[in-house]
Amino acid sequence: MKKAKAIILAAVVGVFSMTAPAKADDKNSDMLMGAAMFPVKVAGVTTAMVFGTPIAITRRTSVRIREYTSTFADKIGGHEHFPPNLFASLWSVPCGTLVGVSEGVYYGGKNAIVHGVEKPFCTDSFSLGDLD
């Protein structure tokens, strides 16, 4: 009779131990999560580089052109009037484009890498967040 009780007890303990969740070590789960997220992070950074860099170039260029037009127009008569803005734009558009493209390439790549590794496919990685 003792042998039968021991077998039944062993079977019950075995059934309950099979349904209990496995306890994983934190180091191993972090490593597995990092390994599983690696392809997602690579895809996020690559996509953000391809699509986020032109967005950053466009945003930086428009900001620099407006900034330079206002600054140059103030030097020749004031930015609140049309003629100084017109003449200032002859010089501010090429300068703003040159500076904006340079900054856009830099910040587009930087945002893609920095934000794309932390949170893949977030708006900041595509340079859609606040301008730095």
Side-chain angles (χ1 to χ4, degrees):
M1 192 64 155
K2 286 184 179 183
K3 192 173 186 181
K5 286 182 184 179
I7 292 174
I8 293 173
L9 182 63
V12 169
V13 169
V15 168
F16 284 118
S17 68
M18 286 177 20
T19 60
K23 305 249 192 283
D25 190 13
D26 284 341
K27 292 179 189 175
N28 289 337
S29 69
D30 289 343
M31 185 177 69
L32 289 174
M33 182 59 85
M37 286 298 292
F38 181 73
V40 174
K41 289 180 180 184
V42 169
V45 169
T46 304
T47 306
M49 282 272 204
V50 170
F51 294 107
T53 301
I55 292 170
I57 289 171
T58 304
R59 291 182 72 189
R60 290 284 176 176
T61 300
S62 68
V63 166
R64 292 301 174 213
I65 288 174
R66 282 185 278 140
E67 177 184 319
Y68 288 162
T69 300
S70 177
T71 303
F72 295 160
D74 282 340
K75 293 182 181 184
I76 59 173
H79 69 274
E80 55 274 336
H81 303 293
F82 179 72
N85 281 322
L86 177 67
F87 291 116
S89 68
L90 296 175
W91 185 243
S92 67
V93 170
C95 292
T97 302
L98 179 68
V99 172
V101 167
S102 303
E103 287 181 347
V105 168
Y106 172 75
Y107 284 110
K110 177 184 166 240
N111 290 338
I113 293 170
V114 170
H115 298 294
V117 170
E118 292 174 7
K119 294 183 206 172
F121 302 104
C122 70
T123 57
D124 287 335
S125 69
F126 286 96
S127 300
L128 293 172
D130 293 334
L131 291 176
D132 293 341

